[in-house]
PDB file of all heavy atoms in Angstrom:
ATOM      1  N   VAL D 102      67.939 117.764 121.715  1.00 97.00           N
ATOM      2  CA  VAL D 102      69.006 118.766 121.663  1.00 97.00           C
ATOM      3  C   VAL D 102      69.711 118.818 123.016  1.00 97.00           C
ATOM      4  O   VAL D 102      69.076 118.867 124.064  1.00 97.00           O
ATOM      5  CB  VAL D 102      68.442 120.167 121.315  1.00 97.00           C
ATOM      6  CG1 VAL D 102      69.577 121.178 121.193  1.00 97.00           C
ATOM      7  CG2 VAL D 102      67.625 120.116 120.031  1.00 97.00           C
ATOM      8  N   SER D 104      73.530 120.755 124.598  1.00 97.00           N
ATOM      9  CA  SER D 104      74.402 121.851 124.182  1.00 97.00           C
ATOM     10  C   SER D 104      75.607 121.960 125.102  1.00 97.00           C
ATOM     11  O   SER D 104      75.670 121.311 126.143  1.00 97.00           O
ATOM     12  CB  SER D 104      73.629 123.165 124.175  1.00 97.00           C
ATOM     13  OG  SER D 104      73.366 123.565 125.503  1.00 97.00           O
ATOM     14  N   ALA D 106      76.409 124.590 126.787  1.00 95.00           N
ATOM     15  CA  ALA D 106      75.911 125.213 128.024  1.00 95.00           C
ATOM     16  C   ALA D 106      74.420 125.514 127.857  1.00 95.00           C
ATOM     17  O   ALA D 106      74.048 126.076 126.830  1.00 95.00           O
ATOM     18  CB  ALA D 106      76.678 126.512 128.306  1.00 95.00           C
ATOM     19  N   PRO D 107      73.551 125.149 128.760  1.00 94.00           N
ATOM     20  CA  PRO D 107      73.826 124.462 130.020  1.00 94.00           C
ATOM     21  C   PRO D 107      74.479 123.090 129.808  1.00 94.00           C
ATOM     22  O   PRO D 107      74.238 122.448 128.804  1.00 94.00           O
ATOM     23  CB  PRO D 107      72.436 124.284 130.640  1.00 94.00           C
ATOM     24  CG  PRO D 107      71.478 124.374 129.497  1.00 94.00           C
ATOM     25  CD  PRO D 107      72.105 125.322 128.528  1.00 94.00           C
ATOM     26  N   PHE D 132      73.810 118.343 118.994  1.00 98.00           N
ATOM     27  CA  PHE D 132      74.627 119.011 120.012  1.00 98.00           C
ATOM     28  C   PHE D 132      74.883 120.434 119.543  1.00 98.00           C
ATOM     29  O   PHE D 132      75.584 120.660 118.548  1.00 98.00           O
ATOM     30  CB  PHE D 132      75.934 118.240 120.211  1.00 98.00           C
ATOM     31  CG  PHE D 132      76.724 118.710 121.399  1.00 98.00           C
ATOM     32  CD1 PHE D 132      76.250 118.523 122.687  1.00 98.00           C
ATOM     33  CD2 PHE D 132      77.943 119.339 121.227  1.00 98.00           C
ATOM     34  CE1 PHE D 132      76.969 118.961 123.793  1.00 98.00           C
ATOM     35  CE2 PHE D 132      78.678 119.783 122.325  1.00 98.00           C
ATOM     36  CZ  PHE D 132      78.192 119.588 123.611  1.00 98.00           C
ATOM     37  N   ASN D 133      74.282 121.387 120.253  1.00 98.00           N
ATOM     38  CA  ASN D 133      74.274 122.788 119.808  1.00 98.00           C
ATOM     39  C   ASN D 133      75.290 123.643 120.583  1.00 98.00           C
ATOM     40  O   ASN D 133      75.808 123.230 121.614  1.00 98.00           O
ATOM     41  CB  ASN D 133      72.853 123.333 119.986  1.00 98.00           C
ATOM     42  CG  ASN D 133      72.686 124.734 119.413  1.00 98.00           C
ATOM     43  OD1 ASN D 133      73.278 125.087 118.394  1.00 98.00           O
ATOM     44  ND2 ASN D 133      71.873 125.554 120.077  1.00 98.00           N
ATOM     45  N   LYS D 134      75.519 124.839 120.079  1.00 97.00           N
ATOM     46  CA  LYS D 134      76.405 125.857 120.678  1.00 97.00           C
ATOM     47  C   LYS D 134      77.880 125.456 120.595  1.00 97.00           C
ATOM     48  O   LYS D 134      78.658 125.769 121.503  1.00 97.00           O
ATOM     49  CB  LYS D 134      76.016 126.151 122.151  1.00 97.00           C
ATOM     50  CG  LYS D 134      74.538 126.474 122.372  1.00 97.00           C
ATOM     51  CD  LYS D 134      74.310 127.177 123.698  1.00 97.00           C
ATOM     52  CE  LYS D 134      72.816 127.253 124.006  1.00 97.00           C
ATOM     53  NZ  LYS D 134      72.522 127.998 125.235  1.00 97.00           N
ATOM     54  N   THR D 135      78.244 124.769 119.505  1.00 95.00           N
ATOM     55  CA  THR D 135      79.644 124.391 119.341  1.00 95.00           C
ATOM     56  C   THR D 135      80.548 125.622 119.243  1.00 95.00           C
ATOM     57  O   THR D 135      81.750 125.521 119.458  1.00 95.00           O
ATOM     58  CB  THR D 135      79.843 123.520 118.091  1.00 95.00           C
ATOM     59  OG1 THR D 135      79.248 124.192 116.981  1.00 95.00           O
ATOM     60  CG2 THR D 135      79.209 122.147 118.270  1.00 95.00           C
ATOM     61  N   ASP D 136      79.940 126.785 118.942  1.00 95.00           N
ATOM     62  CA  ASP D 136      80.748 128.019 118.901  1.00 95.00           C
ATOM     63  C   ASP D 136      81.347 128.365 120.259  1.00 95.00           C
ATOM     64  O   ASP D 136      82.291 129.143 120.355  1.00 95.00           O
ATOM     65  CB  ASP D 136      79.880 129.187 118.393  1.00 95.00           C
ATOM     66  CG  ASP D 136      78.637 129.382 119.261  1.00 95.00           C
ATOM     67  OD1 ASP D 136      77.683 128.590 119.145  1.00 95.00           O
ATOM     68  OD2 ASP D 136      78.622 130.314 120.077  1.00 95.00           O
ATOM     69  N   LEU D 137      80.788 127.777 121.323  1.00 94.00           N
ATOM     70  CA  LEU D 137      81.303 128.070 122.670  1.00 94.00           C
ATOM     71  C   LEU D 137      82.515 127.207 123.042  1.00 94.00           C
ATOM     72  O   LEU D 137      83.121 127.405 124.086  1.00 94.00           O
ATOM     73  CB  LEU D 137      80.207 127.869 123.723  1.00 94.00           C
ATOM     74  CG  LEU D 137      78.999 128.809 123.642  1.00 94.00           C
ATOM     75  CD1 LEU D 137      77.981 128.473 124.722  1.00 94.00           C
ATOM     76  CD2 LEU D 137      79.436 130.276 123.744  1.00 94.00           C
ATOM     77  N   CYS D 161      76.183 121.422 115.907  1.00 97.00           N
ATOM     78  CA  CYS D 161      75.856 122.666 115.214  1.00 97.00           C
ATOM     79  C   CYS D 161      75.979 123.878 116.117  1.00 97.00           C
ATOM     80  O   CYS D 161      76.151 123.759 117.329  1.00 97.00           O
ATOM     81  CB  CYS D 161      74.422 122.609 114.669  1.00 97.00           C
ATOM     82  SG  CYS D 161      73.161 122.665 115.957  1.00 97.00           S
ATOM     83  N   SER D 162      75.907 125.038 115.496  1.00 97.00           N
ATOM     84  CA  SER D 162      75.763 126.286 116.222  1.00 97.00           C
ATOM     85  C   SER D 162      74.609 127.044 115.577  1.00 97.00           C
ATOM     86  O   SER D 162      74.728 127.503 114.437  1.00 97.00           O
ATOM     87  CB  SER D 162      77.047 127.115 116.138  1.00 97.00           C
ATOM     88  OG  SER D 162      76.765 128.450 116.517  1.00 97.00           O
ATOM     89  N   ALA D 163      73.499 127.129 116.299  1.00 97.00           N
ATOM     90  CA  ALA D 163      72.344 127.854 115.762  1.00 97.00           C
ATOM     91  C   ALA D 163      72.717 129.328 115.611  1.00 97.00           C
ATOM     92  O   ALA D 163      72.306 129.995 114.671  1.00 97.00           O
ATOM     93  CB  ALA D 163      71.145 127.693 116.687  1.00 97.00           C
ATOM     94  N   GLU D 164      73.523 129.808 116.553  1.00 96.00           N
ATOM     95  CA  GLU D 164      73.887 131.220 116.538  1.00 96.00           C
ATOM     96  C   GLU D 164      74.738 131.581 115.323  1.00 96.00           C
ATOM     97  O   GLU D 164      74.539 132.617 114.710  1.00 96.00           O
ATOM     98  CB  GLU D 164      74.628 131.564 117.830  1.00 96.00           C
ATOM     99  CG  GLU D 164      74.878 133.043 117.964  1.00 96.00           C
ATOM    100  CD  GLU D 164      75.036 133.450 119.413  1.00 96.00           C
ATOM    101  OE1 GLU D 164      74.048 133.255 120.157  1.00 96.00           O
ATOM    102  OE2 GLU D 164      76.114 133.922 119.793  1.00 96.00           O
ATOM    103  N   LYS D 165      75.675 130.707 114.985  1.00 95.00           N
ATOM    104  CA  LYS D 165      76.578 131.007 113.867  1.00 95.00           C
ATOM    105  C   LYS D 165      76.116 130.326 112.570  1.00 95.00           C
ATOM    106  O   LYS D 165      76.843 130.323 111.575  1.00 95.00           O
ATOM    107  CB  LYS D 165      78.006 130.539 114.192  1.00 95.00           C
ATOM    108  CG  LYS D 165      78.601 131.191 115.428  1.00 95.00           C
ATOM    109  CD  LYS D 165      79.375 132.452 115.092  1.00 95.00           C
ATOM    110  CE  LYS D 165      80.092 133.043 116.285  1.00 95.00           C
ATOM    111  NZ  LYS D 165      79.235 133.923 117.099  1.00 95.00           N
ATOM    112  N   ASN D 166      74.929 129.713 112.622  1.00 95.00           N
ATOM    113  CA  ASN D 166      74.390 129.021 111.459  1.00 95.00           C
ATOM    114  C   ASN D 166      75.373 127.993 110.898  1.00 95.00           C
ATOM    115  O   ASN D 166      75.577 127.879 109.687  1.00 95.00           O
ATOM    116  CB  ASN D 166      73.975 130.029 110.371  1.00 95.00           C
ATOM    117  CG  ASN D 166      73.028 129.408 109.371  1.00 95.00           C
ATOM    118  OD1 ASN D 166      73.440 128.619 108.517  1.00 95.00           O
ATOM    119  ND2 ASN D 166      71.756 129.699 109.492  1.00 95.00           N
ATOM    120  N   LYS D 167      75.991 127.249 111.752  1.00 95.00           N
ATOM    121  CA  LYS D 167      76.927 126.186 111.353  1.00 95.00           C
ATOM    122  C   LYS D 167      76.280 124.826 111.548  1.00 95.00           C
ATOM    123  O   LYS D 167      75.713 124.561 112.609  1.00 95.00           O
ATOM    124  CB  LYS D 167      78.196 126.244 112.230  1.00 95.00           C
ATOM    125  CG  LYS D 167      79.159 127.352 111.880  1.00 95.00           C
ATOM    126  CD  LYS D 167      80.486 126.779 111.347  1.00 95.00           C
ATOM    127  CE  LYS D 167      81.317 127.812 110.607  1.00 95.00           C
ATOM    128  NZ  LYS D 167      81.783 128.880 111.497  1.00 95.00           N
ATOM    129  N   ILE D 169      73.705 123.583 110.142  1.00 96.00           N
ATOM    130  CA  ILE D 169      72.236 123.590 110.088  1.00 96.00           C
ATOM    131  C   ILE D 169      71.717 122.866 108.836  1.00 96.00           C
ATOM    132  O   ILE D 169      70.718 122.157 108.868  1.00 96.00           O
ATOM    133  CB  ILE D 169      71.701 125.048 110.115  1.00 96.00           C
ATOM    134  CG1 ILE D 169      72.203 125.781 111.364  1.00 96.00           C
ATOM    135  CG2 ILE D 169      70.179 125.067 110.040  1.00 96.00           C
ATOM    136  CD1 ILE D 169      71.736 125.209 112.683  1.00 96.00           C
ATOM    137  N   VAL D 183      61.077 118.545 118.485  1.00 96.00           N
ATOM    138  CA  VAL D 183      62.376 118.925 119.037  1.00 96.00           C
ATOM    139  C   VAL D 183      62.227 119.062 120.547  1.00 96.00           C
ATOM    140  O   VAL D 183      61.383 119.818 121.027  1.00 96.00           O
ATOM    141  CB  VAL D 183      62.873 120.240 118.408  1.00 96.00           C
ATOM    142  CG1 VAL D 183      64.211 120.649 119.012  1.00 96.00           C
ATOM    143  CG2 VAL D 183      63.001 120.087 116.892  1.00 96.00           C
ATOM    144  N   VAL D 184      63.036 118.288 121.274  1.00 95.00           N
ATOM    145  CA  VAL D 184      62.936 118.266 122.739  1.00 95.00           C
ATOM    146  C   VAL D 184      64.318 118.477 123.350  1.00 95.00           C
ATOM    147  O   VAL D 184      65.327 118.444 122.658  1.00 95.00           O
ATOM    148  CB  VAL D 184      62.356 116.914 123.229  1.00 95.00           C
ATOM    149  CG1 VAL D 184      60.930 116.709 122.730  1.00 95.00           C
ATOM    150  CG2 VAL D 184      63.245 115.751 122.801  1.00 95.00           C
ATOM    151  N   GLY D 185      64.337 118.678 124.652  1.00 94.00           N
ATOM    152  CA  GLY D 185      65.607 118.847 125.342  1.00 94.00           C
ATOM    153  C   GLY D 185      65.461 119.831 126.480  1.00 94.00           C
ATOM    154  O   GLY D 185      64.461 120.554 126.574  1.00 94.00           O
ATOM    155  N   GLN D 186      66.490 119.863 127.320  1.00 92.00           N
ATOM    156  CA  GLN D 186      66.492 120.755 128.474  1.00 92.00           C
ATOM    157  C   GLN D 186      66.245 122.202 128.050  1.00 92.00           C
ATOM    158  O   GLN D 186      66.588 122.596 126.940  1.00 92.00           O
ATOM    159  CB  GLN D 186      67.869 120.730 129.147  1.00 92.00           C
ATOM    160  CG  GLN D 186      68.166 119.551 130.010  1.00 92.00           C
ATOM    161  CD  GLN D 186      69.652 119.525 130.340  1.00 92.00           C
ATOM    162  OE1 GLN D 186      70.453 118.958 129.602  1.00 92.00           O
ATOM    163  NE2 GLN D 186      70.023 120.159 131.432  1.00 92.00           N
ATOM    164  N   SER D 187      65.718 122.977 128.948  1.00 90.00           N
ATOM    165  CA  SER D 187      65.522 124.404 128.741  1.00 90.00           C
ATOM    166  C   SER D 187      66.860 125.088 128.465  1.00 90.00           C
ATOM    167  O   SER D 187      67.842 124.794 129.132  1.00 90.00           O
ATOM    168  CB  SER D 187      64.934 124.978 130.025  1.00 90.00           C
ATOM    169  OG  SER D 187      63.887 125.807 129.736  1.00 90.00           O
ATOM    170  N   GLY D 188      66.885 125.966 127.482  1.00 93.00           N
ATOM    171  CA  GLY D 188      68.062 126.791 127.262  1.00 93.00           C
ATOM    172  C   GLY D 188      69.123 126.204 126.354  1.00 93.00           C
ATOM    173  O   GLY D 188      70.153 126.832 126.104  1.00 93.00           O
ATOM    174  N   VAL D 189      68.898 124.991 125.823  1.00 95.00           N
ATOM    175  CA  VAL D 189      69.903 124.372 124.956  1.00 95.00           C
ATOM    176  C   VAL D 189      69.874 124.949 123.540  1.00 95.00           C
ATOM    177  O   VAL D 189      70.801 124.732 122.759  1.00 95.00           O
ATOM    178  CB  VAL D 189      69.748 122.837 124.889  1.00 95.00           C
ATOM    179  CG1 VAL D 189      70.078 122.184 126.225  1.00 95.00           C
ATOM    180  CG2 VAL D 189      68.352 122.439 124.422  1.00 95.00           C
ATOM    181  N   GLY D 190      68.802 125.676 123.224  1.00 95.00           N
ATOM    182  CA  GLY D 190      68.721 126.313 121.905  1.00 95.00           C
ATOM    183  C   GLY D 190      67.733 125.668 120.954  1.00 95.00           C
ATOM    184  O   GLY D 190      67.891 125.772 119.731  1.00 95.00           O
ATOM    185  N   LYS D 191      66.707 125.044 121.474  1.00 95.00           N
ATOM    186  CA  LYS D 191      65.704 124.404 120.612  1.00 95.00           C
ATOM    187  C   LYS D 191      65.023 125.419 119.692  1.00 95.00           C
ATOM    188  O   LYS D 191      64.961 125.222 118.481  1.00 95.00           O
ATOM    189  CB  LYS D 191      64.631 123.703 121.468  1.00 95.00           C
ATOM    190  CG  LYS D 191      65.150 122.546 122.291  1.00 95.00           C
ATOM    191  CD  LYS D 191      64.041 121.878 123.089  1.00 95.00           C
ATOM    192  CE  LYS D 191      63.441 122.759 124.163  1.00 95.00           C
ATOM    193  NZ  LYS D 191      64.406 123.170 125.219  1.00 95.00           N
ATOM    194  N   SER D 192      64.548 126.506 120.290  1.00 93.00           N
ATOM    195  CA  SER D 192      63.834 127.503 119.487  1.00 93.00           C
ATOM    196  C   SER D 192      64.780 128.178 118.498  1.00 93.00           C
ATOM    197  O   SER D 192      64.405 128.423 117.345  1.00 93.00           O
ATOM    198  CB  SER D 192      63.167 128.545 120.390  1.00 93.00           C
ATOM    199  OG  SER D 192      62.256 127.907 121.268  1.00 93.00           O
ATOM    200  N   SER D 193      66.008 128.435 118.944  1.00 95.00           N
ATOM    201  CA  SER D 193      67.001 129.051 118.054  1.00 95.00           C
ATOM    202  C   SER D 193      67.295 128.130 116.869  1.00 95.00           C
ATOM    203  O   SER D 193      67.370 128.574 115.719  1.00 95.00           O
ATOM    204  CB  SER D 193      68.302 129.328 118.804  1.00 95.00           C
ATOM    205  OG  SER D 193      68.055 130.042 119.983  1.00 95.00           O
ATOM    206  N   LEU D 194      67.459 126.847 117.154  1.00 96.00           N
ATOM    207  CA  LEU D 194      67.732 125.869 116.097  1.00 96.00           C
ATOM    208  C   LEU D 194      66.574 125.832 115.103  1.00 96.00           C
ATOM    209  O   LEU D 194      66.785 125.854 113.886  1.00 96.00           O
ATOM    210  CB  LEU D 194      67.957 124.487 116.722  1.00 96.00           C
ATOM    211  CG  LEU D 194      68.015 123.309 115.747  1.00 96.00           C
ATOM    212  CD1 LEU D 194      69.260 123.393 114.864  1.00 96.00           C
ATOM    213  CD2 LEU D 194      67.987 121.972 116.495  1.00 96.00           C
ATOM    214  N   ILE D 195      65.355 125.800 115.627  1.00 95.00           N
ATOM    215  CA  ILE D 195      64.182 125.721 114.753  1.00 95.00           C
ATOM    216  C   ILE D 195      64.085 126.962 113.879  1.00 95.00           C
ATOM    217  O   ILE D 195      63.809 126.884 112.687  1.00 95.00           O
ATOM    218  CB  ILE D 195      62.898 125.488 115.578  1.00 95.00           C
ATOM    219  CG1 ILE D 195      62.919 124.065 116.159  1.00 95.00           C
ATOM    220  CG2 ILE D 195      61.652 125.716 114.738  1.00 95.00           C
ATOM    221  CD1 ILE D 195      61.821 123.762 117.137  1.00 95.00           C
ATOM    222  N   ASN D 196      64.366 128.116 114.474  1.00 94.00           N
ATOM    223  CA  ASN D 196      64.338 129.337 113.663  1.00 94.00           C
ATOM    224  C   ASN D 196      65.350 129.283 112.526  1.00 94.00           C
ATOM    225  O   ASN D 196      65.078 129.767 111.428  1.00 94.00           O
ATOM    226  CB  ASN D 196      64.585 130.564 114.546  1.00 94.00           C
ATOM    227  CG  ASN D 196      63.322 130.976 115.285  1.00 94.00           C
ATOM    228  OD1 ASN D 196      62.208 130.614 114.882  1.00 94.00           O
ATOM    229  ND2 ASN D 196      63.483 131.708 116.360  1.00 94.00           N
ATOM    230  N   GLU D 197      66.508 128.680 112.772  1.00 95.00           N
ATOM    231  CA  GLU D 197      67.493 128.524 111.699  1.00 95.00           C
ATOM    232  C   GLU D 197      67.010 127.514 110.664  1.00 95.00           C
ATOM    233  O   GLU D 197      67.172 127.708 109.470  1.00 95.00           O
ATOM    234  CB  GLU D 197      68.847 128.079 112.259  1.00 95.00           C
ATOM    235  CG  GLU D 197      69.562 129.137 113.081  1.00 95.00           C
ATOM    236  CD  GLU D 197      69.664 130.468 112.346  1.00 95.00           C
ATOM    237  OE1 GLU D 197      70.067 130.469 111.166  1.00 95.00           O
ATOM    238  OE2 GLU D 197      69.329 131.500 112.952  1.00 95.00           O
ATOM    239  N   ASP D 236      58.125 122.715 118.088  1.00 93.00           N
ATOM    240  CA  ASP D 236      58.926 123.281 119.167  1.00 93.00           C
ATOM    241  C   ASP D 236      58.170 123.007 120.459  1.00 93.00           C
ATOM    242  O   ASP D 236      57.011 123.381 120.590  1.00 93.00           O
ATOM    243  CB  ASP D 236      59.074 124.795 118.958  1.00 93.00           C
ATOM    244  CG  ASP D 236      60.141 125.404 119.865  1.00 93.00           C
ATOM    245  OD1 ASP D 236      60.743 124.662 120.668  1.00 93.00           O
ATOM    246  OD2 ASP D 236      60.364 126.625 119.762  1.00 93.00           O
ATOM    247  N   SER D 237      58.827 122.317 121.379  1.00 83.00           N
ATOM    248  CA  SER D 237      58.160 122.039 122.648  1.00 83.00           C
ATOM    249  C   SER D 237      58.778 122.925 123.712  1.00 83.00           C
ATOM    250  O   SER D 237      59.933 123.302 123.602  1.00 83.00           O
ATOM    251  CB  SER D 237      58.296 120.563 123.006  1.00 83.00           C
ATOM    252  OG  SER D 237      59.645 120.235 123.228  1.00 83.00           O
ATOM    253  N   PRO D 238      58.037 123.266 124.734  1.00 77.00           N
ATOM    254  CA  PRO D 238      58.602 124.141 125.755  1.00 77.00           C
ATOM    255  C   PRO D 238      59.710 123.424 126.508  1.00 77.00           C
ATOM    256  O   PRO D 238      59.685 122.197 126.623  1.00 77.00           O
ATOM    257  CB  PRO D 238      57.420 124.421 126.679  1.00 77.00           C
ATOM    258  CG  PRO D 238      56.496 123.281 126.488  1.00 77.00           C
ATOM    259  CD  PRO D 238      56.699 122.797 125.086  1.00 77.00           C
ATOM    260  N   GLY D 239      60.657 124.170 127.019  1.00 65.00           N
ATOM    261  CA  GLY D 239      61.755 123.560 127.761  1.00 65.00           C
ATOM    262  C   GLY D 239      61.245 122.885 129.024  1.00 65.00           C
ATOM    263  O   GLY D 239      60.308 123.345 129.653  1.00 65.00           O
ATOM    264  N   VAL D 240      61.856 121.770 129.343  1.00 67.00           N
ATOM    265  CA  VAL D 240      61.483 121.100 130.583  1.00 67.00           C
ATOM    266  C   VAL D 240      62.718 121.005 131.456  1.00 67.00           C
ATOM    267  O   VAL D 240      63.833 120.960 130.971  1.00 67.00           O
ATOM    268  CB  VAL D 240      60.930 119.677 130.311  1.00 67.00           C
ATOM    269  CG1 VAL D 240      59.592 119.768 129.628  1.00 67.00           C
ATOM    270  CG2 VAL D 240      61.906 118.843 129.504  1.00 67.00           C
TER     271      VAL D 240
HETATM  272  N1  LIG S 419      76.483 130.713 121.926  1.00 70.84           N
HETATM  273  C1  LIG S 419      75.346 130.200 121.474  1.00 70.84           C
HETATM  274  N2  LIG S 419      74.178 130.528 122.063  1.00 70.84           N
HETATM  275  C2  LIG S 419      73.045 129.989 121.565  1.00 70.84           C
HETATM  276  C3  LIG S 419      73.048 129.095 120.472  1.00 70.84           C
HETATM  277  N3  LIG S 419      71.769 128.725 120.231  1.00 70.84           N
HETATM  278  C4  LIG S 419      70.997 129.337 121.159  1.00 70.84           C
HETATM  279  N4  LIG S 419      71.760 130.126 121.964  1.00 70.84           N
HETATM  280  C5  LIG S 419      71.301 130.962 123.099  1.00 70.84           C
HETATM  281  O1  LIG S 419      70.839 130.128 124.145  1.00 70.84           O
HETATM  282  C6  LIG S 419      69.728 130.717 124.811  1.00 70.84           C
HETATM  283  C7  LIG S 419      68.553 129.754 124.834  1.00 70.84           C
HETATM  284  O2  LIG S 419      68.115 129.550 123.507  1.00 70.84           O
HETATM  285  P1  LIG S 419      66.639 129.044 123.174  1.00 70.84           P
HETATM  286  O3  LIG S 419      66.564 128.829 121.712  1.00 70.84           O
HETATM  287  O4  LIG S 419      65.626 129.937 123.778  1.00 70.84           O
HETATM  288  O5  LIG S 419      66.625 127.651 123.976  1.00 70.84           O
HETATM  289  P2  LIG S 419      65.396 126.661 124.253  1.00 70.84           P
HETATM  290  O6  LIG S 419      64.949 126.925 125.669  1.00 70.84           O
HETATM  291  O7  LIG S 419      65.951 125.281 124.144  1.00 70.84           O
HETATM  292  O8  LIG S 419      64.335 126.921 123.239  1.00 70.84           O
HETATM  293  C8  LIG S 419      69.435 132.019 124.089  1.00 70.84           C
HETATM  294  O9  LIG S 419      70.044 133.065 124.799  1.00 70.84           O
HETATM  295  C9  LIG S 419      70.111 131.836 122.733  1.00 70.84           C
HETATM  296  O10 LIG S 419      70.528 133.035 122.156  1.00 70.84           O
HETATM  297  C10 LIG S 419      74.312 128.784 119.855  1.00 70.84           C
HETATM  298  O11 LIG S 419      74.432 128.035 118.891  1.00 70.84           O
HETATM  299  N5  LIG S 419      75.422 129.352 120.405  1.00 70.84           N
END
Side-chain angles (χ1 to χ4, degrees):
V102 183
S104 71
F132 190 67
N133 186 35
K134 309 199 190 184
T135 52
D136 57 284
L137 295 179
C161 70
S162 164
E164 187 155 298
K165 300 269 186 275
N166 198 285
K167 284 246 163 66
I169 303 297
V183 179
V184 297
Q186 282 167 272
S187 226
V189 292
K191 295 181 294 298
S192 301
S193 308
L194 170 67
I195 290 172
N196 280 340
E197 291 309 312
D236 193 359
S237 65
V240 291

